Amino acid sequence: MSYVVYALLLCLIVWGMRFAGKDRFNEDFMSLEATKCLQGICAVCVMLHHVSQTAAFREAKELTLFPEVGFWFVGIFFFCSGYGLIKSMREKGDYLTTFPRKRLLTVLIPFYTMTLAFAIYDVASGVRMPASQWVLSALGLVLINSHAWYIVVITLLYVAFYFFFTRLKSERKAFVAMGLFVFAQMVLGILWGHLAWWAGKPFWWQDPSGFQAAAWWMMPCALWYQGEWWINSTILFLVGMLFARFERPVVAWLKRGYWLKLAASFVALVGFYLASGRVMDTFSYWTEFGGVRSLGLGNKYACLATQTFLVTAFVVFVFMAMMKARSINPVTTFLGKIALEIYLMHNLLLMRFTPLIASGSGGGMNPPAPIIAGNKANLAEFAVIVIGGGIILGTVFNFINARLRAFAGRSGLIAARG
């Protein structure tokens, strides 16, 4: 099954690929059309990543390329977002003036339509939560969909961008402030850890009855920034901003001795991949659960540092490669338009169809037992449902969100074409 998926993904990538001739480059490799197509491919890869992380796929050794690389593809989204902000600010005279009602609502509307959909699903499924958790989930202060962390992070980055670039008189100072904001998120994300370690007595969760006596918000990954995925690719937002700021001289420099620099970027990617693997095997982000009465912050920062270099190397290599070979086709163009909705909505299918590949509800911190049919047909069925259904749900919710944005435009809340 894996090889069929890999072949289809490769076809999606090479279909419509344009190779620049000798001593020539694709001058449109950073165009909106090209980057949207890339994001469409990344949305599919994120779904494959989440499918591959299930116990059944891990045990069956299927889609083994994807379990540990999800943050690579999210890094592409952050890079394109940071790049787009600076390009738009420089090309549109009123960009900052209209930014709150144009840009922010384009991510907040999908976030809250998704939240409503997940709330309806939870109610229909008989999910029980304290009233406080329902309220905070409805507001978005607690995630009803764990995948929605991206919207929280990107919204905070957008708010910081707007604040710094409208309040600081110097653009250089605004860039420095954005850099400090991104790094502060990374540092604080590590300090915050995976659960409310600061609540109750020290190391309360290591007691045999620690979780039984804990409130819902003290559980692992219940609050914002409780998980390395919140912070291990956000550096690319800043990298994208800086690239947009210095694009012309950087691209001119990359074109000189291009093949040597492309090879160097690939070597760096492989090197950081191997280094990150070694560090992740030696240390861990999840030091709170290592049995030692220590938060293990040094281990966490070592993991974050290597993953930060790795995801940066990956994004640099991808866009350098696009200077010579970039792909645009009708399918990726369509997927790029609904990429955000795909990202947000496919978790509904992961949850709803888990019984195809797992049995039981698990107990405590233990996951359900994996189910693997002799011919792995259930795994293939699950993958098709999640990927195909994710695209269908993405299409439906993209249509809904577009209508809501149009309504907001007519109401004066957001420009109709924002």
Side-chain angles (χ1 to χ4, degrees):
M1 182 187 71
S2 295
Y3 293 109
V4 173
V5 173
Y6 298 155
L8 290 174
L9 184 60
L10 181 61
C11 289
L12 189 64
I13 293 172
V14 300
W15 179 20
M17 184 167 285
R18 186 178 76 185
F19 294 90
K22 183 179 179 181
D23 299 326
R24 300 178 64 183
F25 297 91
N26 291 316
E27 301 299 337
D28 64 344
F29 78 101
M30 287 302 302
S31 68
L32 181 60
E33 185 181 22
T35 55
K36 277 294 184 182
C37 286
L38 177 61
Q39 290 174 63
I41 294 170
C42 288
V44 173
C45 290
V46 168
M47 288 193 288
L48 290 171
H49 163 68
H50 288 137
V51 169
S52 73
Q53 283 190 314
T54 60
F57 275 77
R58 285 183 180 273
E59 187 171 310
K61 294 182 171 56
E62 294 286 354
L63 301 180
T64 54
L65 294 181
F66 286 96
E68 309 302 330
V69 298
F71 71 107
W72 294 20
F73 308 112
V74 179
I76 295 288
F77 284 100
F78 277 122
F79 179 88
C80 292
S81 292
Y83 175 86
L85 292 188
I86 299 303
K87 291 291 289 186
S88 296
M89 183 182 70
R90 291 179 172 275
E91 295 174 359
K92 303 175 183 178
D94 64 341
Y95 186 67
L96 290 176
T97 303
T98 61
F99 184 85
R101 68 178 184 271
K102 274 191 175 183
R103 195 64 181 169
L104 285 178
L105 287 185
T106 59
V107 293
L108 291 179
I109 286 175
F111 178 79
Y112 284 108
T113 57
M114 172 277 302
T115 298
L116 178 60
F118 273 74
I120 293 172
Y121 173 81
D122 284 349
V123 171
S125 302
V127 172
R128 296 179 178 273
M129 290 193 295
S132 59
Q133 189 174 0
W134 277 113
V135 172
L136 292 174
S137 296
L139 295 174
L141 299 177
V142 170
L143 296 183
I144 199 168
N145 171 14
S146 60
H147 295 175
W149 66 266
Y150 174 81
I151 300 296
V152 175
V153 174
I154 202 69
T155 299
L156 293 175
L157 290 170
Y158 284 168
V159 171
F161 165 82
Y162 176 73
F163 179 83
F164 294 138
F165 279 85
T166 55
R167 299 300 177 90
L168 299 180
K169 297 180 180 180
S170 166
E171 185 178 279
R172 181 177 180 180
K173 290 180 179 178
F175 269 96
V176 171
M178 278 302 304
L180 293 175
F181 183 81
V182 171
F183 281 106
Q185 282 188 313
M186 296 168 66
V187 171
L188 294 175
I190 291 295
L191 293 176
W192 197 235
H194 292 93
L195 78 173
W197 56 265
W198 37 267
K201 61 182 182 180
F203 302 97
W204 59 266
W205 63 95
Q206 294 185 359
D207 290 347
S209 60
F211 283 114
Q212 286 77 6
W216 65 265
W217 54 268
M218 297 168 64
M219 293 296 185
C221 305
L223 305 176
W224 285 7
Y225 284 90
Q226 289 183 335
E228 61 276 7
W229 50 91
W230 288 74
I231 56 174
N232 61 1
S233 59
T234 53
I235 189 68
L236 270 303
F237 186 86
L238 177 63
V239 174
M241 291 179 62
L242 291 171
F243 179 71
R245 171 66 178 82
F246 301 103
E247 181 176 8
R248 183 172 296 179
V250 169
V251 170
W253 179 79
L254 290 174
K255 288 179 178 179
R256 296 192 295 271
Y258 170 81
W259 290 110
L260 180 61
K261 290 169 183 174
L262 180 66
S265 70
F266 180 73
V267 170
L269 173 58
V270 173
F272 285 126
Y273 175 76
L274 296 174
S276 178
R278 179 68 63 86
V279 169
M280 296 297 288
D281 288 341
T282 304
F283 304 106
S284 173
Y285 279 114
W286 294 78
T287 49
E288 303 97 327
F289 303 96
V292 179
R293 294 178 69 83
S294 169
L295 295 178
L297 297 180
N299 288 6
K300 294 175 184 287
Y301 281 120
C303 293
L304 178 60
T306 55
Q307 287 197 325
T308 297
F309 285 115
L310 172 58
V311 70
T312 303
F314 171 71
V315 173
V316 169
F317 174 75
V318 167
F319 282 101
M320 282 195 67
M322 287 175 63
M323 292 175 65
K324 275 291 182 180
R326 65 105 181 96
S327 175
I328 295 176
N329 65 63
V331 175
T332 54
T333 297
F334 173 72
L335 293 174
K337 292 178 181 178
I338 64 172
L340 182 60
E341 285 83 2
I342 289 176
Y343 181 91
L344 288 174
M345 298 308 303
H346 75 277
N347 196 23
L348 266 181
L349 300 164
L350 285 168
M351 296 187 302
R352 170 63 182 84
F353 291 96
T354 291
L356 283 175
I357 60 170
S359 63
S361 58
M365 300 292 289
N366 300 316
I371 300 173
I372 304 172
N375 58 1
K376 301 181 182 178
N378 64 319
L379 302 188
E381 183 181 359
F382 182 76
V384 169
I385 289 173
V386 172
I387 306 302
I391 293 172
I392 293 172
L393 279 180
T395 303
V396 171
F397 275 83
N398 178 264
F399 176 82
I400 293 172
N401 295 332
R403 303 288 78 74
L404 290 174
R405 284 194 294 270
F407 173 78
R410 291 193 297 271
S411 304
L413 295 176
I414 178 174
R417 299 182 62 183

